[in-house]
């Protein structure tokens, strides 16, 4: 008799579990995730939705597409390093009140899964649908380089994913989001064409982009530049005398006229410049926008600024 009761209890629990999965699947909206369970997007009908982003670049994209219909804020501030950011309790409280959190994915925000688990907020991965460039060596070998937004072609995918998510969040303004996204994509395409034209001024023998972090793989691919860096993605601590010596040897062999470093990391290029005949070409922006009165207050300005700095330094038009 006890065996029958146990069997029935197990059968009932199994049926409930199956029904639970089916019901939860039936009421979910489409969402994107590269790790960690998140809640589905719930449509807002009676107020302006609040959207958080993990860093300032995608916050700017979201503001353009959301217009006056969405309230957008970035978790990290201008100038902040995104990879190993440590969310505060205040960040978690903001996310708990948000209707949606936008993130890059591809392992950029290493802190995100634990963060979203505590916040229990819907989230969307904006890099979903992009063909990644995998890191060739080091601790991150075989993993995707997460800086996909540095390609204007990839940025079009980000824009589409944002517009789609906003359409689910605020259905009555779906057409407005799609219209703004279409205009924004046209602007980004034009910027990409201008970047290619500008960077084409660099002589073939000087088309080497040497930086601190390997954050320019997508831009280098699109613009036909050969990339070399001191450390791969988010691995500044992996910088060794051997890796630096390898970069210095590359600079000498290829007579690289200028090298660069990113705004969110310490300048590790000083010893390289001192040990070679190259110059420091300037600071490039990748993971963060500047303040409003800085050189790259928007994503579009970031792309234009980096292209100009790279071109001027590698063609010798401007030396620091």
């Amino acid at each position: 008799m006890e065996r029958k009761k146990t069997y029935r209890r197990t059968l009932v629990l199994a049926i409930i579990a199956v029904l639970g999965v089916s019901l939860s699947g039936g009421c979910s909206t489409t969402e994107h995730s590269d790790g960690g369970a998140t809640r589905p997007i719930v449509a807002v009908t009676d107020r302006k939705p609040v959207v958080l982003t993990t860093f300032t670049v995608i916050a700017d994209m979201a503001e353009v597409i959301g217009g006056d219909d969405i309230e957008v804020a970035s978790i990290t501030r201008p100038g902040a390093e995104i990879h190993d950011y440590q969310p505060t309790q205040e960040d978690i409280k903001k996310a708990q009140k948000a209707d949606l959190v936008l993130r890059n994915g591809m392992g950029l925000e290493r802190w995100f899964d634990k963060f979203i688990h505590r916040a229990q907020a819907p989230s969307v991965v904006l890099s979903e649908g992009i063909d990644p460039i995998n890191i060739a060596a080091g601790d991150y070998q075989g993993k995707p380089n997460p800086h996909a937004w540095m390609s204007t072609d990839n940025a079009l995918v980000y824009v589409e994913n944002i517009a789609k998510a906003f359409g689910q969040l605020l259905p009555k303004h779906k057409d407005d989001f799609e219209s703004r996204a279409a205009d924004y994509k046209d602007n980004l395409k034009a910027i990409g064409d201008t970047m290619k034209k500008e960077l084409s001024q660099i002589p073939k023998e000087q088309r080497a982009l040497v930086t601190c972090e390997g954050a320019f793989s997508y831009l280098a691919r699109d613009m036909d530049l050969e990339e070399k860096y001191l450390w791969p993605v988010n691995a500044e601590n992996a910088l060794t005398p051997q890796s630096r010596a390898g970069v210095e040897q590359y600079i000498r062999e290829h007579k690289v006229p200028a090298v660069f470093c990113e705004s969110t990391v310490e300048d590790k290029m000083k010893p390289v410049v001192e040990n070679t005949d190259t110059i420091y070409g300037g600071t490039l922006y990748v993971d963060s926008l500047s303040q409003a009165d800085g050189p790259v207050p928007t994503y579009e300005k970031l792309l234009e600024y980096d292209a100009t700095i790279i071109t001027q330094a590698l063609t010798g038009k401007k030396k620091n």
Side-chain angles (χ1 to χ4, degrees), residues 67-88:
D68 294 330
D69 302 314
I70 303 284
E71 182 180 336
V72 177
S74 173
I75 294 172
T76 57
R77 298 178 180 179
E81 205 284 322
I82 179 65
H83 298 278
D84 285 324
Y85 177 74
Q86 297 297 317
T88 65

mmCIF file with all atom_site columns, all heavy atoms in Angstrom, residues 67-88:
data_model
loop_
_atom_site.group_PDB
_atom_site.id
_atom_site.type_symbol
_atom_site.label_atom_id
_atom_site.label_alt_id
_atom_site.label_comp_id
_atom_site.label_asym_id
_atom_site.label_entity_id
_atom_site.label_seq_id
_atom_site.pdbx_PDB_ins_code
_atom_site.Cartn_x
_atom_site.Cartn_y
_atom_site.Cartn_z
_atom_site.occupancy
_atom_site.B_iso_or_equiv
_atom_site.pdbx_formal_charge
_atom_site.auth_seq_id
_atom_site.auth_comp_id
_atom_site.auth_asym_id
_atom_site.auth_atom_id
_atom_site.pdbx_PDB_model_num
ATOM 1   N N   . GLY A 1 67 ? 13.784 57.138 -28.071 1.00 0.00 ? 67 GLY A N   1
ATOM 2   C CA  . GLY A 1 67 ? 13.271 58.496 -28.139 1.00 0.00 ? 67 GLY A CA  1
ATOM 3   C C   . GLY A 1 67 ? 12.698 58.943 -26.799 1.00 0.00 ? 67 GLY A C   1
ATOM 4   O O   . GLY A 1 67 ? 13.232 58.633 -25.736 1.00 0.00 ? 67 GLY A O   1
ATOM 5   N N   . ASP A 1 68 ? 11.581 59.651 -26.865 1.00 0.00 ? 68 ASP A N   1
ATOM 6   C CA  . ASP A 1 68 ? 10.912 60.124 -25.652 1.00 0.00 ? 68 ASP A CA  1
ATOM 7   C C   . ASP A 1 68 ? 9.987  59.074 -25.045 1.00 0.00 ? 68 ASP A C   1
ATOM 8   O O   . ASP A 1 68 ? 9.345  59.324 -24.025 1.00 0.00 ? 68 ASP A O   1
ATOM 9   C CB  . ASP A 1 68 ? 10.092 61.384 -25.964 1.00 0.00 ? 68 ASP A CB  1
ATOM 10  C CG  . ASP A 1 68 ? 10.974 62.569 -26.342 1.00 0.00 ? 68 ASP A CG  1
ATOM 11  O OD1 . ASP A 1 68 ? 12.121 62.623 -25.848 1.00 0.00 ? 68 ASP A OD1 1
ATOM 12  O OD2 . ASP A 1 68 ? 10.519 63.424 -27.131 1.00 0.00 ? 68 ASP A OD2 1
ATOM 13  N N   . ASP A 1 69 ? 9.934  57.901 -25.665 1.00 0.00 ? 69 ASP A N   1
ATOM 14  C CA  . ASP A 1 69 ? 8.983  56.869 -25.217 1.00 0.00 ? 69 ASP A CA  1
ATOM 15  C C   . ASP A 1 69 ? 9.577  55.932 -24.166 1.00 0.00 ? 69 ASP A C   1
ATOM 16  O O   . ASP A 1 69 ? 8.839  55.203 -23.509 1.00 0.00 ? 69 ASP A O   1
ATOM 17  C CB  . ASP A 1 69 ? 8.506  56.039 -26.419 1.00 0.00 ? 69 ASP A CB  1
ATOM 18  C CG  . ASP A 1 69 ? 7.864  56.894 -27.485 1.00 0.00 ? 69 ASP A CG  1
ATOM 19  O OD1 . ASP A 1 69 ? 7.040  57.753 -27.117 1.00 0.00 ? 69 ASP A OD1 1
ATOM 20  O OD2 . ASP A 1 69 ? 8.206  56.717 -28.674 1.00 0.00 ? 69 ASP A OD2 1
ATOM 21  N N   . ILE A 1 70 ? 10.924 55.929 -24.034 1.00 0.00 ? 70 ILE A N   1
ATOM 22  C CA  . ILE A 1 70 ? 11.599 55.022 -23.106 1.00 0.00 ? 70 ILE A CA  1
ATOM 23  C C   . ILE A 1 70 ? 12.557 55.822 -22.236 1.00 0.00 ? 70 ILE A C   1
ATOM 24  O O   . ILE A 1 70 ? 13.276 56.697 -22.723 1.00 0.00 ? 70 ILE A O   1
ATOM 25  C CB  . ILE A 1 70 ? 12.413 53.938 -23.859 1.00 0.00 ? 70 ILE A CB  1
ATOM 26  C CG1 . ILE A 1 70 ? 11.515 53.131 -24.804 1.00 0.00 ? 70 ILE A CG1 1
ATOM 27  C CG2 . ILE A 1 70 ? 13.134 53.030 -22.868 1.00 0.00 ? 70 ILE A CG2 1
ATOM 28  C CD1 . ILE A 1 70 ? 10.636 52.110 -24.136 1.00 0.00 ? 70 ILE A CD1 1
ATOM 29  N N   . GLU A 1 71 ? 12.587 55.532 -20.948 1.00 0.00 ? 71 GLU A N   1
ATOM 30  C CA  . GLU A 1 71 ? 13.577 56.136 -20.047 1.00 0.00 ? 71 GLU A CA  1
ATOM 31  C C   . GLU A 1 71 ? 14.774 55.190 -19.953 1.00 0.00 ? 71 GLU A C   1
ATOM 32  O O   . GLU A 1 71 ? 14.636 54.049 -19.511 1.00 0.00 ? 71 GLU A O   1
ATOM 33  C CB  . GLU A 1 71 ? 12.969 56.349 -18.661 1.00 0.00 ? 71 GLU A CB  1
ATOM 34  C CG  . GLU A 1 71 ? 13.917 57.008 -17.667 1.00 0.00 ? 71 GLU A CG  1
ATOM 35  C CD  . GLU A 1 71 ? 13.302 57.205 -16.298 1.00 0.00 ? 71 GLU A CD  1
ATOM 36  O OE1 . GLU A 1 71 ? 12.057 57.267 -16.216 1.00 0.00 ? 71 GLU A OE1 1
ATOM 37  O OE2 . GLU A 1 71 ? 14.070 57.272 -15.318 1.00 0.00 ? 71 GLU A OE2 1
ATOM 38  N N   . VAL A 1 72 ? 15.946 55.673 -20.379 1.00 0.00 ? 72 VAL A N   1
ATOM 39  C CA  . VAL A 1 72 ? 17.143 54.832 -20.464 1.00 0.00 ? 72 VAL A CA  1
ATOM 40  C C   . VAL A 1 72 ? 18.220 55.329 -19.507 1.00 0.00 ? 72 VAL A C   1
ATOM 41  O O   . VAL A 1 72 ? 18.449 56.538 -19.383 1.00 0.00 ? 72 VAL A O   1
ATOM 42  C CB  . VAL A 1 72 ? 17.706 54.812 -21.903 1.00 0.00 ? 72 VAL A CB  1
ATOM 43  C CG1 . VAL A 1 72 ? 18.991 53.988 -21.972 1.00 0.00 ? 72 VAL A CG1 1
ATOM 44  C CG2 . VAL A 1 72 ? 16.669 54.273 -22.877 1.00 0.00 ? 72 VAL A CG2 1
ATOM 45  N N   . ALA A 1 73 ? 18.888 54.409 -18.838 1.00 0.00 ? 73 ALA A N   1
ATOM 46  C CA  . ALA A 1 73 ? 20.023 54.744 -17.981 1.00 0.00 ? 73 ALA A CA  1
ATOM 47  C C   . ALA A 1 73 ? 21.054 53.634 -18.082 1.00 0.00 ? 73 ALA A C   1
ATOM 48  O O   . ALA A 1 73 ? 20.721 52.475 -18.331 1.00 0.00 ? 73 ALA A O   1
ATOM 49  C CB  . ALA A 1 73 ? 19.582 54.918 -16.530 1.00 0.00 ? 73 ALA A CB  1
ATOM 50  N N   . SER A 1 74 ? 22.338 53.986 -17.890 1.00 0.00 ? 74 SER A N   1
ATOM 51  C CA  . SER A 1 74 ? 23.428 53.013 -17.927 1.00 0.00 ? 74 SER A CA  1
ATOM 52  C C   . SER A 1 74 ? 23.843 52.648 -16.512 1.00 0.00 ? 74 SER A C   1
ATOM 53  O O   . SER A 1 74 ? 23.929 53.515 -15.633 1.00 0.00 ? 74 SER A O   1
ATOM 54  C CB  . SER A 1 74 ? 24.632 53.593 -18.684 1.00 0.00 ? 74 SER A CB  1
ATOM 55  O OG  . SER A 1 74 ? 25.744 52.728 -18.600 1.00 0.00 ? 74 SER A OG  1
ATOM 56  N N   . ILE A 1 75 ? 24.104 51.366 -16.285 1.00 0.00 ? 75 ILE A N   1
ATOM 57  C CA  . ILE A 1 75 ? 24.595 50.920 -14.983 1.00 0.00 ? 75 ILE A CA  1
ATOM 58  C C   . ILE A 1 75 ? 25.990 51.477 -14.735 1.00 0.00 ? 75 ILE A C   1
ATOM 59  O O   . ILE A 1 75 ? 26.282 51.984 -13.654 1.00 0.00 ? 75 ILE A O   1
ATOM 60  C CB  . ILE A 1 75 ? 24.605 49.376 -14.914 1.00 0.00 ? 75 ILE A CB  1
ATOM 61  C CG1 . ILE A 1 75 ? 23.168 48.835 -14.980 1.00 0.00 ? 75 ILE A CG1 1
ATOM 62  C CG2 . ILE A 1 75 ? 25.294 48.897 -13.638 1.00 0.00 ? 75 ILE A CG2 1
ATOM 63  C CD1 . ILE A 1 75 ? 23.082 47.326 -15.104 1.00 0.00 ? 75 ILE A CD1 1
ATOM 64  N N   . THR A 1 76 ? 26.878 51.375 -15.731 1.00 0.00 ? 76 THR A N   1
ATOM 65  C CA  . THR A 1 76 ? 28.223 51.925 -15.585 1.00 0.00 ? 76 THR A CA  1
ATOM 66  C C   . THR A 1 76 ? 28.270 53.342 -16.128 1.00 0.00 ? 76 THR A C   1
ATOM 67  O O   . THR A 1 76 ? 27.540 53.696 -17.047 1.00 0.00 ? 76 THR A O   1
ATOM 68  C CB  . THR A 1 76 ? 29.255 51.061 -16.331 1.00 0.00 ? 76 THR A CB  1
ATOM 69  O OG1 . THR A 1 76 ? 28.877 50.956 -17.713 1.00 0.00 ? 76 THR A OG1 1
ATOM 70  C CG2 . THR A 1 76 ? 29.349 49.679 -15.715 1.00 0.00 ? 76 THR A CG2 1
ATOM 71  N N   . ARG A 1 77 ? 29.147 54.137 -15.562 1.00 0.00 ? 77 ARG A N   1
ATOM 72  C CA  . ARG A 1 77 ? 29.280 55.543 -15.939 1.00 0.00 ? 77 ARG A CA  1
ATOM 73  C C   . ARG A 1 77 ? 30.313 55.717 -17.053 1.00 0.00 ? 77 ARG A C   1
ATOM 74  O O   . ARG A 1 77 ? 31.106 54.813 -17.315 1.00 0.00 ? 77 ARG A O   1
ATOM 75  C CB  . ARG A 1 77 ? 29.703 56.358 -14.711 1.00 0.00 ? 77 ARG A CB  1
ATOM 76  C CG  . ARG A 1 77 ? 28.696 56.334 -13.571 1.00 0.00 ? 77 ARG A CG  1
ATOM 77  C CD  . ARG A 1 77 ? 29.212 57.120 -12.380 1.00 0.00 ? 77 ARG A CD  1
ATOM 78  N NE  . ARG A 1 77 ? 28.259 57.098 -11.273 1.00 0.00 ? 77 ARG A NE  1
ATOM 79  C CZ  . ARG A 1 77 ? 28.464 57.696 -10.107 1.00 0.00 ? 77 ARG A CZ  1
ATOM 80  N NH1 . ARG A 1 77 ? 29.608 58.345 -9.894  1.00 0.00 ? 77 ARG A NH1 1
ATOM 81  N NH2 . ARG A 1 77 ? 27.541 57.635 -9.153  1.00 0.00 ? 77 ARG A NH2 1
ATOM 82  N N   . PRO A 1 78 ? 30.327 56.892 -17.695 1.00 0.00 ? 78 PRO A N   1
ATOM 83  C CA  . PRO A 1 78 ? 31.356 57.161 -18.700 1.00 0.00 ? 78 PRO A CA  1
ATOM 84  C C   . PRO A 1 78 ? 32.754 56.984 -18.112 1.00 0.00 ? 78 PRO A C   1
ATOM 85  O O   . PRO A 1 78 ? 33.040 57.434 -16.999 1.00 0.00 ? 78 PRO A O   1
ATOM 86  C CB  . PRO A 1 78 ? 31.098 58.626 -19.075 1.00 0.00 ? 78 PRO A CB  1
ATOM 87  C CG  . PRO A 1 78 ? 29.638 58.819 -18.831 1.00 0.00 ? 78 PRO A CG  1
ATOM 88  C CD  . PRO A 1 78 ? 29.330 57.984 -17.620 1.00 0.00 ? 78 PRO A CD  1
ATOM 89  N N   . GLY A 1 79 ? 33.597 56.286 -18.862 1.00 0.00 ? 79 GLY A N   1
ATOM 90  C CA  . GLY A 1 79 ? 34.969 56.059 -18.421 1.00 0.00 ? 79 GLY A CA  1
ATOM 91  C C   . GLY A 1 79 ? 35.167 54.799 -17.609 1.00 0.00 ? 79 GLY A C   1
ATOM 92  O O   . GLY A 1 79 ? 36.310 54.426 -17.322 1.00 0.00 ? 79 GLY A O   1
ATOM 93  N N   . ALA A 1 80 ? 34.080 54.110 -17.247 1.00 0.00 ? 80 ALA A N   1
ATOM 94  C CA  . ALA A 1 80 ? 34.197 52.919 -16.402 1.00 0.00 ? 80 ALA A CA  1
ATOM 95  C C   . ALA A 1 80 ? 34.643 51.713 -17.213 1.00 0.00 ? 80 ALA A C   1
ATOM 96  O O   . ALA A 1 80 ? 34.302 51.568 -18.386 1.00 0.00 ? 80 ALA A O   1
ATOM 97  C CB  . ALA A 1 80 ? 32.872 52.621 -15.723 1.00 0.00 ? 80 ALA A CB  1
ATOM 98  N N   . GLU A 1 81 ? 35.401 50.824 -16.577 1.00 0.00 ? 81 GLU A N   1
ATOM 99  C CA  . GLU A 1 81 ? 35.804 49.559 -17.186 1.00 0.00 ? 81 GLU A CA  1
ATOM 100 C C   . GLU A 1 81 ? 34.643 48.580 -17.016 1.00 0.00 ? 81 GLU A C   1
ATOM 101 O O   . GLU A 1 81 ? 34.116 48.407 -15.923 1.00 0.00 ? 81 GLU A O   1
ATOM 102 C CB  . GLU A 1 81 ? 37.063 49.038 -16.487 1.00 0.00 ? 81 GLU A CB  1
ATOM 103 C CG  . GLU A 1 81 ? 37.918 48.115 -17.338 1.00 0.00 ? 81 GLU A CG  1
ATOM 104 C CD  . GLU A 1 81 ? 37.332 46.729 -17.467 1.00 0.00 ? 81 GLU A CD  1
ATOM 105 O OE1 . GLU A 1 81 ? 36.766 46.224 -16.483 1.00 0.00 ? 81 GLU A OE1 1
ATOM 106 O OE2 . GLU A 1 81 ? 37.425 46.145 -18.565 1.00 0.00 ? 81 GLU A OE2 1
ATOM 107 N N   . ILE A 1 82 ? 34.226 47.950 -18.089 1.00 0.00 ? 82 ILE A N   1
ATOM 108 C CA  . ILE A 1 82 ? 32.994 47.168 -18.080 1.00 0.00 ? 82 ILE A CA  1
ATOM 109 C C   . ILE A 1 82 ? 33.210 45.703 -17.708 1.00 0.00 ? 82 ILE A C   1
ATOM 110 O O   . ILE A 1 82 ? 32.383 45.091 -17.032 1.00 0.00 ? 82 ILE A O   1
ATOM 111 C CB  . ILE A 1 82 ? 32.270 47.274 -19.448 1.00 0.00 ? 82 ILE A CB  1
ATOM 112 C CG1 . ILE A 1 82 ? 30.983 46.450 -19.470 1.00 0.00 ? 82 ILE A CG1 1
ATOM 113 C CG2 . ILE A 1 82 ? 33.171 46.866 -20.588 1.00 0.00 ? 82 ILE A CG2 1
ATOM 114 C CD1 . ILE A 1 82 ? 29.939 46.930 -18.521 1.00 0.00 ? 82 ILE A CD1 1
ATOM 115 N N   . HIS A 1 83 ? 34.312 45.104 -18.114 1.00 0.00 ? 83 HIS A N   1
ATOM 116 C CA  . HIS A 1 83 ? 34.481 43.654 -17.991 1.00 0.00 ? 83 HIS A CA  1
ATOM 117 C C   . HIS A 1 83 ? 34.292 43.153 -16.562 1.00 0.00 ? 83 HIS A C   1
ATOM 118 O O   . HIS A 1 83 ? 33.509 42.247 -16.312 1.00 0.00 ? 83 HIS A O   1
ATOM 119 C CB  . HIS A 1 83 ? 35.870 43.231 -18.490 1.00 0.00 ? 83 HIS A CB  1
ATOM 120 C CG  . HIS A 1 83 ? 36.114 43.538 -19.926 1.00 0.00 ? 83 HIS A CG  1
ATOM 121 N ND1 . HIS A 1 83 ? 35.675 42.725 -20.954 1.00 0.00 ? 83 HIS A ND1 1
ATOM 122 C CD2 . HIS A 1 83 ? 36.762 44.562 -20.521 1.00 0.00 ? 83 HIS A CD2 1
ATOM 123 C CE1 . HIS A 1 83 ? 36.049 43.244 -22.103 1.00 0.00 ? 83 HIS A CE1 1
ATOM 124 N NE2 . HIS A 1 83 ? 36.699 44.361 -21.871 1.00 0.00 ? 83 HIS A NE2 1
ATOM 125 N N   . ASP A 1 84 ? 35.042 43.707 -15.641 1.00 0.00 ? 84 ASP A N   1
ATOM 126 C CA  . ASP A 1 84 ? 35.015 43.241 -14.253 1.00 0.00 ? 84 ASP A CA  1
ATOM 127 C C   . ASP A 1 84 ? 34.382 44.264 -13.318 1.00 0.00 ? 84 ASP A C   1
ATOM 128 O O   . ASP A 1 84 ? 34.766 44.387 -12.155 1.00 0.00 ? 84 ASP A O   1
ATOM 129 C CB  . ASP A 1 84 ? 36.434 42.906 -13.776 1.00 0.00 ? 84 ASP A CB  1
ATOM 130 C CG  . ASP A 1 84 ? 36.930 41.596 -14.370 1.00 0.00 ? 84 ASP A CG  1
ATOM 131 O OD1 . ASP A 1 84 ? 36.110 40.677 -14.522 1.00 0.00 ? 84 ASP A OD1 1
ATOM 132 O OD2 . ASP A 1 84 ? 38.125 41.504 -14.690 1.00 0.00 ? 84 ASP A OD2 1
ATOM 133 N N   . TYR A 1 85 ? 33.425 44.995 -13.825 1.00 0.00 ? 85 TYR A N   1
ATOM 134 C CA  . TYR A 1 85 ? 32.702 45.962 -12.990 1.00 0.00 ? 85 TYR A CA  1
ATOM 135 C C   . TYR A 1 85 ? 32.045 45.242 -11.816 1.00 0.00 ? 85 TYR A C   1
ATOM 136 O O   . TYR A 1 85 ? 31.552 44.116 -11.952 1.00 0.00 ? 85 TYR A O   1
ATOM 137 C CB  . TYR A 1 85 ? 31.633 46.658 -13.842 1.00 0.00 ? 85 TYR A CB  1
ATOM 138 C CG  . TYR A 1 85 ? 30.769 47.625 -13.058 1.00 0.00 ? 85 TYR A CG  1
ATOM 139 C CD1 . TYR A 1 85 ? 31.266 48.856 -12.653 1.00 0.00 ? 85 TYR A CD1 1
ATOM 140 C CD2 . TYR A 1 85 ? 29.452 47.300 -12.732 1.00 0.00 ? 85 TYR A CD2 1
ATOM 141 C CE1 . TYR A 1 85 ? 30.479 49.746 -11.944 1.00 0.00 ? 85 TYR A CE1 1
ATOM 142 C CE2 . TYR A 1 85 ? 28.663 48.179 -12.015 1.00 0.00 ? 85 TYR A CE2 1
ATOM 143 C CZ  . TYR A 1 85 ? 29.178 49.400 -11.623 1.00 0.00 ? 85 TYR A CZ  1
ATOM 144 O OH  . TYR A 1 85 ? 28.407 50.272 -10.911 1.00 0.00 ? 85 TYR A OH  1
ATOM 145 N N   . GLN A 1 86 ? 32.052 45.882 -10.663 1.00 0.00 ? 86 GLN A N   1
ATOM 146 C CA  . GLN A 1 86 ? 31.424 45.312 -9.470  1.00 0.00 ? 86 GLN A CA  1
ATOM 147 C C   . GLN A 1 86 ? 30.121 46.064 -9.184  1.00 0.00 ? 86 GLN A C   1
ATOM 148 O O   . GLN A 1 86 ? 30.155 47.183 -8.673  1.00 0.00 ? 86 GLN A O   1
ATOM 149 C CB  . GLN A 1 86 ? 32.378 45.417 -8.271  1.00 0.00 ? 86 GLN A CB  1
ATOM 150 C CG  . GLN A 1 86 ? 33.662 44.635 -8.422  1.00 0.00 ? 86 GLN A CG  1
ATOM 151 C CD  . GLN A 1 86 ? 33.412 43.137 -8.537  1.00 0.00 ? 86 GLN A CD  1
ATOM 152 O OE1 . GLN A 1 86 ? 32.597 42.578 -7.818  1.00 0.00 ? 86 GLN A OE1 1
ATOM 153 N NE2 . GLN A 1 86 ? 34.109 42.488 -9.459  1.00 0.00 ? 86 GLN A NE2 1
ATOM 154 N N   . PRO A 1 87 ? 28.975 45.479 -9.525  1.00 0.00 ? 87 PRO A N   1
ATOM 155 C CA  . PRO A 1 87 ? 27.696 46.159 -9.286  1.00 0.00 ? 87 PRO A CA  1
ATOM 156 C C   . PRO A 1 87 ? 27.490 46.474 -7.805  1.00 0.00 ? 87 PRO A C   1
ATOM 157 O O   . PRO A 1 87 ? 27.851 45.679 -6.934  1.00 0.00 ? 87 PRO A O   1
ATOM 158 C CB  . PRO A 1 87 ? 26.661 45.142 -9.781  1.00 0.00 ? 87 PRO A CB  1
ATOM 159 C CG  . PRO A 1 87 ? 27.404 44.263 -10.721 1.00 0.00 ? 87 PRO A CG  1
ATOM 160 C CD  . PRO A 1 87 ? 28.795 44.173 -10.174 1.00 0.00 ? 87 PRO A CD  1
ATOM 161 N N   . THR A 1 88 ? 26.919 47.622 -7.553  1.00 0.00 ? 88 THR A N   1
ATOM 162 C CA  . THR A 1 88 ? 26.622 48.029 -6.187  1.00 0.00 ? 88 THR A CA  1
ATOM 163 C C   . THR A 1 88 ? 25.207 47.595 -5.808  1.00 0.00 ? 88 THR A C   1
ATOM 164 O O   . THR A 1 88 ? 24.420 47.179 -6.660  1.00 0.00 ? 88 THR A O   1
ATOM 165 C CB  . THR A 1 88 ? 26.727 49.550 -6.050  1.00 0.00 ? 88 THR A CB  1
ATOM 166 O OG1 . THR A 1 88 ? 25.698 50.166 -6.860  1.00 0.00 ? 88 THR A OG1 1
ATOM 167 C CG2 . THR A 1 88 ? 28.097 50.046 -6.509  1.00 0.00 ? 88 THR A CG2 1
#
